[in-house]
Amino acid sequence: MDATRPGSTETRRLLDERTADLQRVKAEYDNYRKQVRRDRMAVREIAAQNVLRALLPVLDAVESARRQGTVESGLKAVADVLETQLGSLGLRTFGQEGEPFDPTRHEAVTHVVSPGADRLTCTEILSPGYRAGDRLLRAARVVVTGPPPPVGTGDAPRSHDGGAPREQPGLCP
């Protein structure tokens, strides 16, 4: 019996084997294309976030000029277009006076104690926070007002030996 003859079991087995190989290679290629597409999108998002992050000082300067009242009509038009275009790239501002303090979104620059307060609240926005999509580009810098610390806790952290306070990284003096 000839193994290359159409209809033989050996030919059928070889055909099935090659078909399975081809299907496997096609599936691997499809997965590769999807992975490349995801990687390209991730690189694009990271690049856009880096550009947005680099432009935050420009937005801060514009906001500072607005507060000082030195924004002329020409600069105002440029600032408005800049903010609109950055918004179209996904840049969103956040940070409102009166909102609850959230350490994942806010950076407390100053803490004001208010005996009548029941929770930490952002009472002044020193600089707004920015997000691009789900990513935090910069936390909002805020003044926080809240209740006094619980009784029995000192104002400054103490060392374990009861000595002078130690500096804690990331905390303002």
Side-chain angles (χ1 to χ4, degrees):
M1 183 176 236
D2 186 10
T4 60
R5 195 180 78 203
S8 74
T9 57
E10 180 64 18
T11 304
R12 172 56 53 197
R13 185 188 66 74
L14 289 173
L15 178 63
D16 291 345
E17 191 176 295
R18 297 303 177 260
T19 302
D21 289 345
L22 182 60
Q23 289 172 339
R24 216 174 6 264
V25 169
K26 182 185 179 312
E28 288 174 3
Y29 180 70
D30 289 343
N31 288 337
Y32 170 77
R33 280 191 5 232
K34 290 175 188 175
Q35 181 64 43
V36 167
R37 189 176 311 127
R38 282 191 301 265
D39 290 350
R40 284 183 183 158
M41 292 300 293
V43 167
R44 182 175 171 216
E45 286 178 22
I46 290 169
Q49 291 167 2
N50 288 340
V51 169
L52 292 172
R53 191 175 285 114
L55 290 173
L56 294 182
V58 176
L59 292 176
D60 290 341
V62 167
E63 183 59 31
S64 177
R66 281 187 176 141
R67 281 190 216 146
Q68 295 172 10
T70 58
V71 177
E72 305 280 327
S73 63
L75 180 59
K76 182 184 180 324
V78 170
D80 291 344
V81 169
L82 175 66
E83 290 170 346
T84 301
Q85 292 302 313
L86 293 177
S88 72
L89 293 173
L91 185 69
R92 302 287 177 255
T93 62
F94 65 89
Q96 298 288 325
E97 291 182 6
E99 71 184 11
F101 174 73
D102 179 356
T104 63
R105 299 173 7 126
H106 301 108
E107 177 185 340
V109 176
T110 305
H111 180 203
V112 178
V113 174
S114 174
D118 60 341
R119 64 186 170 121
L120 295 174
T121 305
C122 301
T123 52
E124 185 180 348
I125 307 301
L126 303 175
S127 61
Y130 294 97
R131 298 185 77 79
D134 292 339
R135 256 220 188 152
L136 178 71
L137 298 179
R138 184 179 78 191
R141 295 180 184 113
V142 299
V143 173
V144 176
T145 300
V151 178
T153 60
D155 289 349
R158 297 260 172 212
S159 65
H160 292 289
D161 60 2
R166 286 190 272 181
E167 287 186 31
Q168 289 190 345
L171 295 179
C172 295

